[in-house]
Amino acid sequence: MILFSNPGAQVQAHRAEIDQAIARVLDSGWYVLGREVDAFEREFAEYLGTTHAVGVNSGTDALALALRALGIGPGDQVAAPSHTAVATIAAIEMAGAEPLLIDIDPVHYTMDPVALEAAVTPRTRAVVAVHLYGQAADMDAILGIARRHGLKVVEDCAQATGGRYKGRRVGTLGDVGCFSFYPTKNLGAVGDGGAVVTGSDALAQSLRSLREYGWRGDRVSHVAGVNSRLDEIQAAILRAKLPYLDADNDRRRAIADRYGAALEGLLARPAQRPDCHHVFHLYVVRTPGRDARIAALRDEQVGAAVHYLLAAHQQPAYLSRLAGADRLLETERAVSEIMTLPIYPELSDAQVDTVIDAVRKTARV
Ligand SMILES: *Cc1c(COP(=O)(O)O)cnc(C)c1O
């Protein structure tokens, strides 16, 4: 079966350097928040072109802590798309705030700025722009709306590490950028990990405090923080892999080009925003009869999947209880038609062609 993503293949591709990184940490005798985390934070901030990166335990924590550092909490509304990993919405509630769900633009699957502006209320304090599938949201429009309504802008970059919007790396456009290093992401660890990046000294200081019990280097809790630290082993592995991220993303883009050329007319291919560097965390197409098509592809040993089967407001835990859930027509339409084809840097051209042949064959189901 050709999987839609394959973190094991990535580990094998960099196995010697990952083994060395792990051995270095084991021999150091220091395992949490140490030299590797410091060095990774510096290298990652430099890669993105910003001043601070703060390593945390996951992408979900990165979002929740970013909102808390921005002073957002109970009584506040945070706008976000319902068409996202449920983590985006969970993080807003972890910060004590209330999600305000916004519909998507059906072409790029990212937040529709017109719907955002129509939904904003006096209680809305922030917006989470999700760079879904590897492509930046419509940031000029979102930043303009945020300015007009006094909203903080949090970028959810979990699926777009290394991607760019008009020449700038995602994560450096809003007030804070939040990253996930979950193993399947474009820059993946071998466990959980995340980071918040910002150009603000004050926000960085607040995040460093919040991630460790509200301490300020003195083991005294000045605010009610949490334990959300990045392990040394994960940081060392991320340092080993970061130098390959751009090449890996270029390979993802080359695979997307190969699919794009071959699949014309067979299904709706992903649209790329002009001036954006899409890093294809996922290759998501749209097709009627989606479920039958996935079953037929699986019979051909192609592991097509769906991201996401349910929008946040359709999940049992959130079922229509979230503000905005009643006007998400494009989201609900997309959710019933989208399908993810395999894409990861180690996928060979021969495997890509196998997927293409299978899609052609199943066009008749
Ligand atoms: C993966 C993901 C997250 C959460 O990251 P974790 O590290 O799994 O907590 C948040 N938002 C989006 C869009 C994601 O894809």
Side-chain angles (χ1 to χ4, degrees), residues 294-310:
I294 288 182
L297 284 169
R298 291 189 158 263
D299 288 343
E300 301 292 323
Q301 299 302 304
V302 171
V306 182
H307 297 86
Y308 295 89
L309 269 172
L310 297 174

Side-chain angles (χ1 to χ4, degrees), residues 58-60 63 84-85 87-88 130 156 158-159 180 182 185 192-193 308:
S58 70
T60 309
L63 289 161
T84 180
T88 312
V130 181
D156 181 341
Q159 301 192 0
S180 165
Y182 185 75
K185 305 289 162 107
D192 279 309
Y308 295 89

Side-chain angles (χ1 to χ4, degrees), residues 47 159-164 169 185-187 244-255 277-281 343 345:
Y47 168 83
Q159 301 192 0
T161 310
R164 288 192 289 265
R169 299 276 188 192
K185 305 289 162 107
N186 291 37
L187 178 63
Y244 301 101
L245 177 59
D246 282 345
D248 282 349
N249 282 342
D250 285 346
R251 174 66 190 149
R252 288 177 183 270
R253 287 167 57 80
I255 293 168
H277 189 78
H278 189 325
V279 291
F280 287 98
H281 172 60
I343 197 162

